[in-house]
Amino acid sequence: MTDIRLRGSLRRRWWWAAGAALAAVSTVGMPPVAAANSSTVLSPAAGTPVCQIRDGRLNEISGMAAIGGGFVVVNDGADEEARRRIFFLDADCAVARTVRYPSRPRDTEDLGVGADGTVWVADVGDNDRSRRTVALWRLRPGKDRPVLYRLAYPDGPHDAEALLVAGDGRPVIVTKQGGGAGLYRPAAALRPGATVPLVRVGQVRLPSTRTRNPFSFVGRAVVTGGATAPDGRRVVLRTYADAFEFDVTGGDVVAALTTGAPRVVPLPDEPQGESVTYSRDGRFLLTVSETAGQPPGTRPTILRYALTSAPPPTGSRGDPAPTASRGAGAPARGDRGGATSPAVGAAVAALALLVLGMIMARGAGRAGR
Protein backbone atom coordinates (compact mmCIF):
# COMPACT_ATOMS: atom_id res chain seq x y z
CA MET A 1 0.00 0.00 0.00
CA THR A 2 1.04 3.61 -0.46
CA ASP A 3 1.54 6.19 2.28
CA ILE A 4 -2.09 7.30 2.31
CA ARG A 5 -4.24 4.19 2.32
CA LEU A 6 -7.47 4.26 0.33
CA ARG A 7 -10.45 4.03 2.62
CA GLY A 8 -11.98 0.66 3.41
CA SER A 9 -15.33 1.39 1.75
CA LEU A 10 -13.70 2.13 -1.61
CA ARG A 11 -11.42 -0.89 -1.41
CA ARG A 12 -14.39 -3.02 -0.45
CA ARG A 13 -16.29 -1.96 -3.60
CA TRP A 14 -13.24 -2.96 -5.67
CA TRP A 15 -13.18 -6.41 -4.12
CA TRP A 16 -16.92 -6.89 -4.68
CA ALA A 17 -16.56 -5.91 -8.33
CA ALA A 18 -13.61 -8.24 -8.85
CA GLY A 19 -15.39 -11.07 -7.10
CA ALA A 20 -18.50 -10.64 -9.21
CA ALA A 21 -16.46 -10.57 -12.40
CA LEU A 22 -14.72 -13.81 -11.44
CA ALA A 23 -17.63 -15.69 -9.92
CA ALA A 24 -18.27 -17.68 -13.06
CA VAL A 25 -14.58 -18.50 -13.48
CA SER A 26 -14.20 -19.75 -9.92
CA THR A 27 -16.33 -22.83 -10.52
CA VAL A 28 -14.72 -23.91 -13.79
CA GLY A 29 -11.91 -26.46 -13.58
CA MET A 30 -11.27 -25.72 -9.91
CA PRO A 31 -12.32 -28.78 -7.87
CA PRO A 32 -12.12 -28.02 -4.15
CA VAL A 33 -9.97 -29.67 -1.55
CA ALA A 34 -11.52 -32.70 0.17
CA ALA A 35 -11.19 -33.95 3.72
CA ALA A 36 -8.92 -36.94 4.04
CA ASN A 37 -10.72 -40.24 4.75
CA SER A 38 -14.10 -38.52 4.92
CA SER A 39 -17.24 -39.38 3.02
CA THR A 40 -19.37 -36.76 4.77
CA VAL A 41 -19.56 -33.17 3.58
CA LEU A 42 -19.76 -30.73 6.49
CA SER A 43 -21.09 -27.21 6.23
CA PRO A 44 -18.61 -24.77 7.77
CA ALA A 45 -19.80 -23.00 10.89
CA ALA A 46 -19.08 -19.43 11.85
CA GLY A 47 -16.59 -18.79 14.60
CA THR A 48 -17.55 -18.40 18.25
CA PRO A 49 -17.36 -14.77 19.44
CA VAL A 50 -14.71 -14.12 22.09
CA CYS A 51 -15.01 -10.37 22.62
CA GLN A 52 -15.84 -7.18 20.73
CA ILE A 53 -13.42 -4.30 20.12
CA ARG A 54 -15.12 -0.97 20.77
CA ASP A 55 -12.25 1.49 20.34
CA GLY A 56 -13.03 3.61 17.27
CA ARG A 57 -9.39 3.70 16.21
CA LEU A 58 -9.46 -0.02 15.47
CA ASN A 59 -11.68 -0.49 12.43
CA GLU A 60 -9.06 -1.75 9.96
CA ILE A 61 -7.28 -4.40 11.98
CA SER A 62 -4.77 -6.17 9.79
CA GLY A 63 -2.70 -8.08 12.33
CA MET A 64 -3.36 -9.77 15.67
CA ALA A 65 -1.58 -12.06 18.11
CA ALA A 66 -2.69 -13.59 21.38
CA ILE A 67 -0.44 -12.74 24.31
CA GLY A 68 -0.59 -13.31 28.03
CA GLY A 69 -3.73 -11.67 29.34
CA GLY A 70 -5.10 -10.49 26.01
CA PHE A 71 -4.11 -9.54 22.49
CA VAL A 72 -1.91 -7.21 20.47
CA VAL A 73 -3.25 -5.71 17.22
CA VAL A 74 -2.33 -3.20 14.51
CA ASN A 75 -4.27 -1.26 11.89
CA ASP A 76 -3.30 -1.39 8.23
CA GLY A 77 -3.44 2.33 7.55
CA ALA A 78 -1.30 5.33 8.41
CA ASP A 79 -3.54 8.18 7.29
CA GLU A 80 -4.71 9.06 10.82
CA GLU A 81 -2.15 9.80 13.53
CA ALA A 82 -4.26 8.26 16.30
CA ARG A 83 -4.19 4.91 14.52
CA ARG A 84 -0.38 4.72 14.17
CA ARG A 85 0.05 2.58 17.24
CA ILE A 86 0.65 -0.96 18.40
CA PHE A 87 -2.45 -1.63 20.48
CA PHE A 88 -2.42 -3.98 23.48
CA LEU A 89 -5.86 -5.27 24.49
CA ASP A 90 -6.97 -7.02 27.65
CA ALA A 91 -8.97 -10.27 27.68
CA ASP A 92 -12.20 -8.28 27.13
CA CYS A 93 -10.82 -6.51 24.03
CA ALA A 94 -10.46 -3.16 25.79
CA VAL A 95 -7.34 -1.13 24.96
CA ALA A 96 -4.93 -1.47 27.88
CA ARG A 97 -2.01 0.49 26.40
CA THR A 98 -0.56 1.66 23.12
CA VAL A 99 2.94 2.04 21.72
CA ARG A 100 3.69 4.71 19.11
CA TYR A 101 5.95 4.22 16.14
CA PRO A 102 8.93 6.60 16.29
CA SER A 103 8.42 7.45 12.60
CA ARG A 104 5.49 7.14 10.26
CA PRO A 105 4.75 3.58 9.10
CA ARG A 106 3.71 2.99 5.49
CA ASP A 107 1.28 0.07 5.56
CA THR A 108 1.36 -2.28 8.56
CA GLU A 109 -0.35 -5.49 7.46
CA ASP A 110 0.41 -8.23 9.99
CA LEU A 111 2.22 -9.00 13.20
CA GLY A 112 3.68 -11.96 15.02
CA VAL A 113 5.12 -12.69 18.43
CA GLY A 114 8.36 -14.60 18.88
CA ALA A 115 9.01 -17.25 21.50
CA ASP A 116 10.70 -14.62 23.69
CA GLY A 117 7.70 -12.28 23.54
CA THR A 118 9.15 -9.94 20.91
CA VAL A 119 6.43 -8.34 18.79
CA TRP A 120 7.19 -8.12 15.06
CA VAL A 121 5.04 -5.79 12.93
CA ALA A 122 5.15 -6.31 9.17
CA ASP A 123 5.09 -2.95 7.36
CA VAL A 124 4.94 -4.73 4.00
CA GLY A 125 1.73 -3.62 2.27
CA ASP A 126 2.26 -2.30 -1.25
CA ASN A 127 -0.95 -2.37 -3.26
CA ASP A 128 0.57 -0.24 -6.04
CA ARG A 129 3.79 -2.28 -5.99
CA SER A 130 5.83 0.89 -5.89
CA ARG A 131 7.88 0.61 -2.69
CA ARG A 132 11.64 0.32 -3.04
CA THR A 133 11.84 -1.08 0.49
CA VAL A 134 9.49 -2.66 3.01
CA ALA A 135 10.02 -2.81 6.74
CA LEU A 136 9.71 -4.75 9.96
CA TRP A 137 9.17 -3.12 13.34
CA ARG A 138 10.52 -5.00 16.36
CA LEU A 139 9.25 -4.29 19.87
CA ARG A 140 11.14 -6.21 22.54
CA PRO A 141 9.43 -7.20 25.80
CA GLY A 142 9.29 -4.36 28.29
CA LYS A 143 10.24 -1.71 25.72
CA ASP A 144 8.08 1.22 24.65
CA ARG A 145 9.80 2.10 21.38
CA PRO A 146 9.87 -0.25 18.38
CA VAL A 147 12.96 -0.46 16.17
CA LEU A 148 12.66 -0.14 12.38
CA TYR A 149 14.45 -2.48 9.95
CA ARG A 150 14.30 -1.91 6.21
CA LEU A 151 14.35 -4.71 3.63
CA ALA A 152 14.39 -4.97 -0.16
CA TYR A 153 13.04 -7.71 -2.41
CA PRO A 154 15.50 -9.26 -4.86
CA ASP A 155 12.97 -9.38 -7.71
CA GLY A 156 11.01 -6.12 -7.55
CA PRO A 157 8.15 -4.87 -5.36
CA HIS A 158 5.51 -7.20 -3.95
CA ASP A 159 2.34 -6.65 -1.97
CA ALA A 160 2.27 -8.76 1.20
CA GLU A 161 -0.03 -9.13 4.19
CA ALA A 162 1.32 -12.13 6.11
CA LEU A 163 4.22 -12.59 8.52
CA LEU A 164 5.44 -15.78 10.18
CA VAL A 165 8.04 -15.88 12.95
CA ALA A 166 10.08 -19.09 12.72
CA GLY A 167 11.27 -21.01 15.75
CA ASP A 168 14.71 -19.41 15.49
CA GLY A 169 13.12 -15.97 15.62
CA ARG A 170 13.67 -15.21 11.94
CA PRO A 171 10.71 -13.56 10.18
CA VAL A 172 9.25 -14.95 6.95
CA ILE A 173 7.15 -12.69 4.68
CA VAL A 174 4.41 -14.29 2.57
CA THR A 175 3.28 -12.28 -0.46
CA LYS A 176 -0.32 -11.62 -1.41
CA GLN A 177 -0.51 -13.21 -4.82
CA GLY A 178 -2.65 -16.00 -6.18
CA GLY A 179 -1.38 -19.19 -7.75
CA GLY A 180 1.81 -19.30 -5.68
CA ALA A 181 2.53 -16.92 -2.81
CA GLY A 182 6.23 -16.06 -2.50
CA LEU A 183 8.18 -16.75 0.69
CA TYR A 184 10.94 -14.30 1.60
CA ARG A 185 13.23 -13.91 4.58
CA PRO A 186 16.20 -11.64 5.39
CA ALA A 187 19.46 -12.73 3.77
CA ALA A 188 21.47 -11.36 6.70
CA ALA A 189 21.07 -10.09 10.24
CA LEU A 190 18.74 -7.11 10.51
CA ARG A 191 20.43 -3.78 11.22
CA PRO A 192 18.79 -0.46 12.15
CA GLY A 193 19.57 2.24 9.62
CA ALA A 194 20.54 -0.24 6.89
CA THR A 195 18.57 -1.95 4.12
CA VAL A 196 18.98 -5.72 4.30
CA PRO A 197 18.20 -7.76 1.17
CA LEU A 198 15.48 -10.37 1.24
CA VAL A 199 15.97 -13.75 -0.38
CA ARG A 200 13.20 -15.76 -2.01
CA VAL A 201 13.13 -19.18 -0.35
CA GLY A 202 10.14 -20.76 -2.08
CA GLN A 203 6.45 -20.45 -2.72
CA VAL A 204 3.32 -21.92 -1.22
CA ARG A 205 0.30 -23.08 -3.22
CA LEU A 206 -2.92 -23.34 -1.25
CA PRO A 207 -5.70 -25.79 -2.13
CA SER A 208 -8.87 -24.32 -3.59
CA THR A 209 -12.13 -24.32 -1.66
CA ARG A 210 -15.66 -23.04 -2.11
CA THR A 211 -16.03 -21.36 1.25
CA ARG A 212 -18.49 -18.48 1.18
CA ASN A 213 -16.93 -15.04 1.51
CA PRO A 214 -17.76 -11.49 0.36
CA PHE A 215 -15.13 -11.51 -2.40
CA SER A 216 -15.97 -14.72 -4.26
CA PHE A 217 -13.04 -16.53 -5.92
CA VAL A 218 -10.52 -13.77 -5.37
CA GLY A 219 -11.20 -13.94 -1.65
CA ARG A 220 -10.15 -17.58 -1.65
CA ALA A 221 -6.98 -17.00 -3.67
CA VAL A 222 -4.84 -14.50 -1.76
CA VAL A 223 -3.02 -14.77 1.57
CA THR A 224 -4.06 -12.07 4.06
CA GLY A 225 -2.45 -13.20 7.31
CA GLY A 226 -0.34 -15.81 9.06
CA ALA A 227 0.68 -17.07 12.50
CA THR A 228 2.95 -19.56 14.24
CA ALA A 229 1.64 -21.86 16.99
CA PRO A 230 3.00 -21.24 20.50
CA ASP A 231 4.93 -24.53 20.41
CA GLY A 232 6.37 -23.74 16.96
CA ARG A 233 5.15 -27.05 15.54
CA ARG A 234 2.41 -25.60 13.34
CA VAL A 235 1.89 -22.52 11.21
CA VAL A 236 -1.25 -21.16 9.61
CA LEU A 237 -1.95 -18.96 6.60
CA ARG A 238 -5.34 -17.44 5.95
CA THR A 239 -7.24 -16.00 3.02
CA TYR A 240 -10.48 -14.02 3.17
CA ALA A 241 -12.28 -17.40 3.25
CA ASP A 242 -10.19 -20.10 4.92
CA ALA A 243 -7.25 -20.94 7.17
CA PHE A 244 -4.62 -23.49 6.10
CA GLU A 245 -2.62 -25.15 8.87
CA PHE A 246 0.74 -26.83 8.19
CA ASP A 247 2.80 -29.09 10.47
CA VAL A 248 6.37 -27.89 11.07
CA THR A 249 9.19 -30.37 11.61
CA GLY A 250 12.47 -29.32 13.14
CA GLY A 251 11.48 -25.66 13.09
CA ASP A 252 11.68 -25.52 9.28
CA VAL A 253 8.74 -23.27 8.41
CA VAL A 254 9.75 -22.94 4.75
CA ALA A 255 9.85 -26.71 4.24
CA ALA A 256 6.43 -27.02 5.88
CA LEU A 257 4.88 -24.48 3.53
CA THR A 258 6.55 -25.68 0.35
CA THR A 259 6.16 -29.44 0.80
CA GLY A 260 3.43 -29.98 3.39
CA ALA A 261 -0.27 -30.71 2.89
CA PRO A 262 -2.39 -28.32 4.96
CA ARG A 263 -5.52 -28.94 6.98
CA VAL A 264 -8.32 -26.56 5.98
CA VAL A 265 -10.35 -24.59 8.52
CA PRO A 266 -13.21 -22.71 6.82
CA LEU A 267 -13.74 -19.11 7.98
CA PRO A 268 -17.11 -18.46 6.29
CA ASP A 269 -18.59 -15.04 5.66
CA GLU A 270 -16.12 -12.96 7.67
CA PRO A 271 -16.58 -9.33 6.52
CA GLN A 272 -12.92 -8.72 5.58
CA GLY A 273 -10.72 -11.19 7.40
CA GLU A 274 -7.05 -10.21 7.40
CA SER A 275 -5.90 -11.44 10.81
CA VAL A 276 -5.29 -14.85 12.34
CA THR A 277 -3.48 -16.11 15.42
CA TYR A 278 -3.37 -19.14 17.68
CA SER A 279 -4.80 -19.06 21.17
CA ARG A 280 -2.16 -19.12 23.88
CA ASP A 281 -2.70 -22.84 24.47
CA GLY A 282 -2.61 -23.61 20.74
CA ARG A 283 -6.03 -25.29 20.75
CA PHE A 284 -7.89 -22.67 18.72
CA LEU A 285 -7.49 -20.24 15.88
CA LEU A 286 -8.55 -16.66 16.56
CA THR A 287 -9.50 -14.22 13.81
CA VAL A 288 -10.75 -10.67 13.48
CA SER A 289 -12.00 -8.69 10.47
CA GLU A 290 -11.69 -5.14 9.29
CA THR A 291 -14.97 -3.26 9.68
CA ALA A 292 -14.34 -0.14 7.60
CA GLY A 293 -17.11 0.08 5.02
CA GLN A 294 -19.48 -2.03 7.12
CA PRO A 295 -22.84 -0.68 8.35
CA PRO A 296 -22.57 2.01 11.04
CA GLY A 297 -22.06 0.57 14.50
CA THR A 298 -20.34 -2.61 13.29
CA ARG A 299 -17.55 -3.51 15.70
CA PRO A 300 -14.58 -5.83 15.12
CA THR A 301 -15.22 -9.14 16.89
CA ILE A 302 -12.55 -11.69 17.72
CA LEU A 303 -13.79 -15.13 16.67
CA ARG A 304 -12.60 -18.56 17.81
CA TYR A 305 -12.36 -21.73 15.69
CA ALA A 306 -11.56 -25.18 17.09
CA LEU A 307 -8.64 -27.13 15.63
CA THR A 308 -8.53 -30.87 14.99
CA SER A 309 -4.75 -30.63 15.38
CA ALA A 310 -4.92 -28.98 18.79
CA PRO A 311 -2.94 -30.43 21.70
CA PRO A 312 -4.96 -31.96 24.57
CA PRO A 313 -6.24 -29.56 27.24
CA THR A 314 -3.73 -28.82 29.97
CA GLY A 315 -6.34 -28.02 32.60
CA SER A 316 -4.54 -24.82 33.51
CA ARG A 317 -6.54 -21.84 34.63
CA GLY A 318 -7.49 -19.44 31.89
CA ASP A 319 -7.76 -22.05 29.13
CA PRO A 320 -10.81 -21.36 26.96
CA ALA A 321 -13.63 -23.85 27.23
CA PRO A 322 -13.91 -26.27 24.29
CA THR A 323 -16.61 -25.35 21.80
CA ALA A 324 -18.18 -27.31 18.97
CA SER A 325 -17.15 -26.14 15.54
CA ARG A 326 -18.62 -27.99 12.60
CA GLY A 327 -16.25 -28.17 9.71
CA ALA A 328 -13.01 -27.32 11.52
CA GLY A 329 -10.29 -29.08 9.61
CA ALA A 330 -12.83 -30.19 6.99
CA PRO A 331 -13.72 -29.06 3.46
CA ALA A 332 -16.01 -26.15 2.69
CA ARG A 333 -19.65 -26.71 1.76
CA GLY A 334 -20.02 -28.19 -1.69
CA ASP A 335 -16.74 -30.11 -1.62
CA ARG A 336 -16.82 -33.28 -3.67
CA GLY A 337 -13.16 -34.26 -3.61
CA GLY A 338 -10.44 -33.87 -6.18
CA ALA A 339 -7.32 -31.73 -6.39
CA THR A 340 -6.74 -28.53 -8.25
CA SER A 341 -4.47 -28.64 -11.28
CA PRO A 342 -1.57 -26.29 -10.51
CA ALA A 343 -1.58 -24.96 -14.07
CA VAL A 344 -5.30 -24.24 -14.05
CA GLY A 345 -5.14 -22.75 -10.57
CA ALA A 346 -2.27 -20.47 -11.47
CA ALA A 347 -3.96 -19.33 -14.69
CA VAL A 348 -7.23 -18.51 -12.98
CA ALA A 349 -5.43 -16.79 -10.10
CA ALA A 350 -3.45 -14.69 -12.55
CA LEU A 351 -6.67 -13.70 -14.31
CA ALA A 352 -8.21 -12.81 -10.96
CA LEU A 353 -5.36 -10.54 -10.01
CA LEU A 354 -5.26 -8.95 -13.47
CA VAL A 355 -8.94 -8.05 -13.32
CA LEU A 356 -8.56 -6.85 -9.74
CA GLY A 357 -5.60 -4.69 -10.66
CA MET A 358 -7.52 -3.07 -13.51
CA ILE A 359 -10.45 -2.32 -11.22
CA MET A 360 -8.20 -0.88 -8.54
CA ALA A 361 -6.27 1.24 -11.00
CA ARG A 362 -9.51 2.77 -12.28
CA GLY A 363 -10.69 3.41 -8.73
CA ALA A 364 -7.39 4.98 -7.76
CA GLY A 365 -7.53 7.32 -10.72
CA ARG A 366 -11.01 8.45 -9.81
CA ALA A 367 -9.86 9.09 -6.26
CA GLY A 368 -7.21 11.47 -7.52
CA ARG A 369 -4.26 9.24 -6.77
Side-chain angles (χ1 to χ4, degrees), residues 241-255:
D242 303 279
F244 301 86
E245 188 184 36
F246 297 79
D247 290 323
V248 178
T249 302
D252 195 338
V253 170
V254 172

Side-chain angles (χ1 to χ4, degrees), residues 100-125:
R100 296 189 181 191
Y101 300 100
S103 59
R104 180 169 179 165
R106 293 284 297 273
D107 193 358
T108 50
E109 287 288 357
D110 201 7
L111 62 78
V113 177
D116 63 350
T118 295
V119 175
W120 291 90
V121 179
D123 191 349
V124 295

Side-chain angles (χ1 to χ4, degrees), residues 22-33 178-179 206-210 217 220-221 334-350 352:
L22 294 164
V25 178
S26 65
T27 58
V28 178
M30 296 291 288
V33 65
L206 301 177
S208 66
T209 74
R210 291 180 181 157
F217 166 72
R220 298 189 290 266
D335 287 355
R336 290 184 290 275
T340 301
S341 161
V344 173
V348 176

